[in-house]
Each structure stands twice: as structure tokens, then as C-alpha cells.
Amino acid sequence: MRATARDAARAVGAAAVASLVLGCAAQSQDTASRPPEAVIRPVGSQQTLDVAENLLERDCMRRSGFDFWVTPPAAPGTRREFPYVVDDVAWAKEHGYGSDQRAALRRAADADPNKRYLLSLDPRRRTSLVAALNGPRPTGLAVDLPNGARISHSDEGCTAEAERRLYGDLPAWFRATRTVRFLKGERVAAVQQDARYRSARDRWAACMRADGLPYSDPQESRAAADPERGADRARETRTAVAEATCAVSTGFSRVAADLDTSYGTSARRRHPRVYADLARLTRAALPRASAVVARG
């Protein structure tokens, strides 16, 4: 399961506009000027599911009067996430904290003709497009998260139709994906509050200070070396390499990974149904997704 910018499109307003830029977006109704649709060859099961969902959304949106196409998924590894600390020295030497990859994604989004089309629509037409994709109102699907918060979504619209066709039991899919996504964030927060994590982080901070980098937490080092906050590329790379080197040499990355696994196992034990539902529905969807992708 991926958390794409398209998910934000499920809220009405400016967030929806931004999300469509990075996911599947409406294309110009002037078919003569429409760029040809790319031939997409997914890599791996998750990309197959994502592309199939987007193809089904495309077909639905076209039936709704919007000319819509699917953009190729980002290549695997286009953007790596390090939730706790950068711990890949080779990657840090090449990418720093990943500002080059983020910039490439922004350039791709800015060059997307879908964005120009969407922003060219008059407000009423834009609202109609968002409603066609997301449903007219966020009702029909709901889940109470473990922290007591309730989130809801429309069970209408092209996204809901696509997910229903792929996964079959749309309410169960909604519950499982939203709950697992919440539990992932809860897991990261729990790891960062664990005394073992904090002790390992302190060793990492001492290592960084010895290298002339007085940061007590990886979030501080990333913020200080962020090119979007004025740091140059050399500083970004040097700081990221030091962060990764210290993460490995002090055992910080190993402790974080072990704790992440432990808290993940605990979450699965506390919420077996949602994880089982997610696995079951995903397995069942893969043959359908493969057929959709083969059809194009």
C-alpha cells in the first residue's frame, strides 16, 4: 500500500488540486492536443495494484465526461524514506538527504500537462472533476482509529469504484488501509519515545559532535542541512554522510530497526483483523489488477 499525493485529492479544495498533479489527473478534453498515453509496465505487485487502480479510475472518469490518463509510477527507489536516521552511507554520498530526488519529483509534477489542464478549469468544472473522482461528499465509509478519531470517505466516485472493483469489500479495505496507516505513524512515535532509542540517539549525537556537528537529533541535522532552508549541496552531503556513518558506528540504526520490528509485531498482535484483512484483500486483488494492466 502506498501513501500517494492522490490520497489528498479525496478532500475537496486546494489539497485536491495539488494531489491530482502527482497522481492521476484529468487531461485536456481537446483530444487532438492530448499527449499519447504512455505504455506502462509495472514493476512488482504494488505497482501493479497502483497502475490497475489508476486505469480503472481513468475509465470511470472518462465515463463521467473527463478525459483522464494514467501517468507512469515513479521508479522504485526514486525517493527513500528514513523514518529514524539516515543509515546508508553510499546513498548519503550520492543524495545527501534526498533534496535532488525531491527536486526531480517537483520538476516532473510541474511539467505534467495534467497540472496545467486542471488549473485552467473554471472553479465549477474543477469542483465537478474532484467530485467525480472522490465522490460528492465524504460519507459512506468510516473507521474509528485506535486513538478514538473517526475518519470517513465517500463510497461513491471513481476512486471508490476502482477500489471496489479491485478489492471487492470496499468497507473492509478502507478500514484496513486507514488503520494500518495510522498504526505505522503510531509505531514510529513509540520507537522515538523508547528509552533504548533515546540512549542510542545520545551516542549518535556524541559521535556527530566529535565530527563538529552539534545536533542532538536527526531531525535537527536534517533541518540544518536542508537546501530548502539555505544550506548548500556540499553541506547537505557532508551532514548526511556524517549522520549515516555515526548511525552505523554507534549502533543507533540497529537499535531503531530492532525497536521498529518489535513495535510492529506488537501492533499486529493488538490488531490482527486489520492486518489479516489487508493481506487477504491484497492477495485477492492481484489477479484482477494484472488483468486490468494487461488490458490497458
Side-chain angles (χ1 to χ4, degrees):
M1 175 183 56
R2 69 173 178 175
T4 66
R6 192 191 64 225
D7 292 333
R10 293 163 183 167
V12 177
V17 174
S19 70
L20 287 169
V21 170
L22 297 180
C24 293
Q27 115 184 38
S28 171
Q29 294 184 14
D30 180 0
T31 57
S33 63
R34 185 178 70 214
E37 192 162 66
V39 176
I40 299 175
R41 295 180 176 85
V43 178
S45 59
Q46 187 56 59
Q47 280 198 359
T48 298
L49 290 166
D50 294 338
V51 171
E53 183 175 336
N54 294 343
L55 287 165
L56 291 171
E57 287 175 325
R58 176 202 66 185
D59 295 345
C60 175
M61 290 294 284
R62 288 179 176 174
R63 292 195 303 271
S64 299
F66 294 96
D67 203 357
F68 188 102
W69 76 77
V70 176
T71 55
T78 298
R79 183 176 180 182
R80 270 186 79 177
E81 300 290 342
F82 297 91
Y84 304 109
V85 62
V86 175
D87 59 0
D88 186 330
V89 176
W91 187 90
K93 287 179 179 178
E94 182 176 358
H95 300 291
Y97 285 115
S99 65
D100 57 338
Q101 296 183 337
R102 293 192 298 273
L105 290 172
R106 286 195 298 269
R107 288 193 298 271
D110 290 342
D112 192 338
N114 297 329
K115 178 180 181 179
R116 294 191 293 270
Y117 167 73
L118 189 64
L119 296 179
S120 74
L121 294 177
D122 64 72
R124 181 174 299 179
R125 182 69 171 161
R126 187 180 301 172
T127 298
S128 296
L129 184 152
V130 171
L133 181 65
N134 300 328
R137 59 193 64 83
T139 58
L141 298 171
V143 58
D144 293 318
L145 298 176
N147 66 349
R150 167 166 282 211
I151 59 173
S152 60
H153 187 274
S154 179
D155 61 355
E156 301 178 72
C158 290
T159 292
E161 177 182 311
E163 291 181 343
R164 186 180 288 109
R165 289 186 60 183
L166 276 181
Y167 299 103
D169 188 341
L170 183 59
W173 175 250
F174 182 78
R175 286 193 301 271
T177 53
R178 273 48 174 192
T179 303
V180 168
R181 186 178 305 166
F182 168 82
L183 291 171
K184 179 180 179 181
E186 187 180 62
R187 182 181 79 236
V188 171
V191 168
Q192 292 174 330
Q193 293 300 314
D194 192 289
R196 291 164 289 181
Y197 176 93
R198 295 198 300 270
S199 177
R201 182 195 59 198
D202 290 345
R203 295 195 301 272
W204 170 90
C207 176
M208 292 288 280
R209 285 195 300 273
D211 200 18
L213 298 168
Y215 305 121
S216 60
D217 187 276
Q219 297 303 318
E220 288 185 15
S221 57
R222 296 181 194 189
D226 187 350
E228 295 179 10
R229 301 187 183 189
D232 60 27
R233 177 67 175 167
R235 181 178 180 185
E236 177 193 11
T237 302
R238 176 181 180 272
T239 307
V241 169
E243 176 174 319
T245 301
C246 286
V248 174
S249 66
T250 63
F252 182 27
S253 63
R254 176 181 51 77
V255 169
D258 289 348
L259 289 171
D260 186 82
T261 298
S262 177
Y263 279 103
T265 299
S266 176
R268 289 176 179 275
R269 288 173 178 166
R270 287 184 287 113
H271 305 279
R273 179 185 173 187
V274 292
Y275 285 99
D277 283 348
L278 183 62
R280 172 179 58 82
L281 295 169
T282 299
R283 283 195 305 269
L286 272 170
R288 302 180 197 123
S290 297
V292 171
V293 171
R295 185 196 71 210

